Amino acid sequence: MRKILPIIVFLLAFGSLSIVNAQTAQSGSIASLWKGVGGKSKWNATDFILFTANGNDAHYLQNGRRFLINKKTGECRFEGRTMNNQNIVVLFNYKTEKLLRYFVNGKEEKKHDVDILTSFKQVNEQFLRDASLLFLPTLMDRPDTRVGKVSSKIINAEKLHAVSFQLKDNFIAGDMLFNADDGFIRQLIDKEGNAFYVNGYKDIGGGLFLPTIFKNLQHADRNTTFTTVAAFTDMEAAKFENL
């Protein structure tokens, strides 16, 4: 018993040390990603973001779909065109998933209509898919994001950190490869094995940087490009209330 006890104590201590080291590596990875964005404080100080998205395997909405969001309240204004060429404006809250107003070709529709609710669900889901890519570096720090172990890989003569992750509602899950020095994501490999090359980091305002190009060399229809991304500290309330 006297010989076994020290071994048990050692194993417990070694296990605790491994957990601490893993947590430290995860914290370091998140800190690096915030560095690439421009800093967590700058992100938190920015309330409004406008972006235009293309691609991302969209089946209901055409390219050039535009979202304006209030990060604090969850209010969102969508402007775009459906695949059957209807111009729609949808005002909703992406945090509560509540539809506020819905316009088709400039005319307001009843928001409780079954077809309108179905369309709204498609718009909301597309927003979440687009936002999951554009805001990916910041989403890694959310409490509902699962982050795995961190490892190192050499790709194209560049040392990258690799970490597995899963976002809330599983909109994106897989492996992320990023440069720990500049905090920029280089590759994204989703749970289906699709590899995306990530670049196009742009200053969207106020010293904030976000990735705008997600390129899949095997499946071009899964490419996603954000042609416009802009951050604002102020925005007129009418944008989220009226046509």
Side-chain angles (χ1 to χ4, degrees):
M1 180 63 70
R2 291 180 179 177
K3 294 181 179 180
I4 296 176
L5 183 58
I7 294 176
I8 295 175
V9 172
F10 172 77
L11 291 175
L12 290 174
F14 180 78
S16 299
L17 181 60
S18 298
I19 293 174
V20 171
N21 288 339
Q23 292 175 339
T24 301
Q26 290 174 357
S27 298
S29 297
I30 292 174
S32 295
L33 291 170
W34 276 125
K35 176 182 177 182
V37 170
K40 187 174 183 178
S41 60
K42 290 182 180 179
W43 173 258
N44 289 338
T46 301
D47 292 339
F48 306 96
I49 294 181
L50 170 71
F51 66 88
T52 302
N54 300 284
N56 204 6
D57 201 22
H59 298 291
Y60 175 70
L61 300 171
Q62 296 185 27
N63 284 334
R65 53 189 179 273
R66 176 170 294 195
F67 296 94
L68 172 65
I69 67 169
N70 182 330
K71 291 202 295 97
K72 284 189 176 181
T73 66
E75 292 173 296
C76 181
R77 177 188 181 92
F78 166 78
E79 298 179 11
R81 184 184 290 270
T82 64
M83 290 302 182
N84 58 0
N85 290 319
Q86 289 184 323
N87 289 311
I88 62 175
V89 175
V90 186
L91 308 179
F92 63 101
N93 190 300
Y94 66 86
K95 291 184 177 181
T96 63
E97 297 187 349
K98 180 180 179 181
L99 173 62
L100 303 177
R101 303 182 73 178
Y102 190 107
F103 301 87
V104 179
N105 297 326
K107 177 184 177 182
E108 185 167 10
E109 302 290 337
K110 295 180 179 179
K111 64 180 182 180
H112 297 299
D113 182 88
V114 175
D115 291 337
I116 296 302
L117 290 175
T118 298
S119 175
F120 161 61
K121 181 179 180 181
Q122 293 169 324
V123 170
N124 186 57
E125 288 183 353
Q126 187 64 55
F127 164 75
L128 293 175
R129 290 176 57 195
D130 292 340
S132 293
L133 289 178
L134 181 62
F135 304 146
L136 183 57
T138 72
L139 297 176
M140 297 296 289
D141 199 18
R142 287 176 58 95
D144 51 21
T145 298
R146 298 173 58 184
V147 181
K149 295 181 179 179
V150 182
S151 60
S152 296
K153 294 185 178 182
I154 302 296
I155 298 183
N156 297 327
E158 181 181 19
K159 182 179 180 181
L160 300 177
H161 283 196
V163 59
S164 60
F165 71 97
Q166 180 177 322
L167 299 185
K168 179 184 177 182
D169 298 327
N170 208 28
F171 272 101
I172 302 181
D175 297 303
M176 174 194 300
L177 289 84
F178 63 96
N179 187 304
D181 293 328
D182 60 22
F184 285 1
I185 301 172
R186 297 291 197 267
Q187 289 190 32
L188 172 65
I189 304 173
D190 66 20
K191 60 182 180 181
E192 297 175 348
N194 296 301
F196 296 85
Y197 291 93
V198 184
N199 55 33
Y201 270 80
K202 293 181 180 179
D203 186 341
I204 68 171
L208 284 175
F209 293 81
L210 291 176
T212 62
I213 299 175
F214 295 78
K215 186 175 183 179
N216 187 313
L217 297 181
Q218 287 74 35
H219 305 284
D221 59 336
R222 295 177 180 174
N223 292 345
T224 303
T225 303
F226 299 93
T227 54
T228 301
V229 186
F232 306 91
T233 55
D234 296 297
M235 182 64 59
E236 53 185 309
K239 288 290 186 180
F240 302 101
E241 299 171 354
N242 303 312
L243 182 62

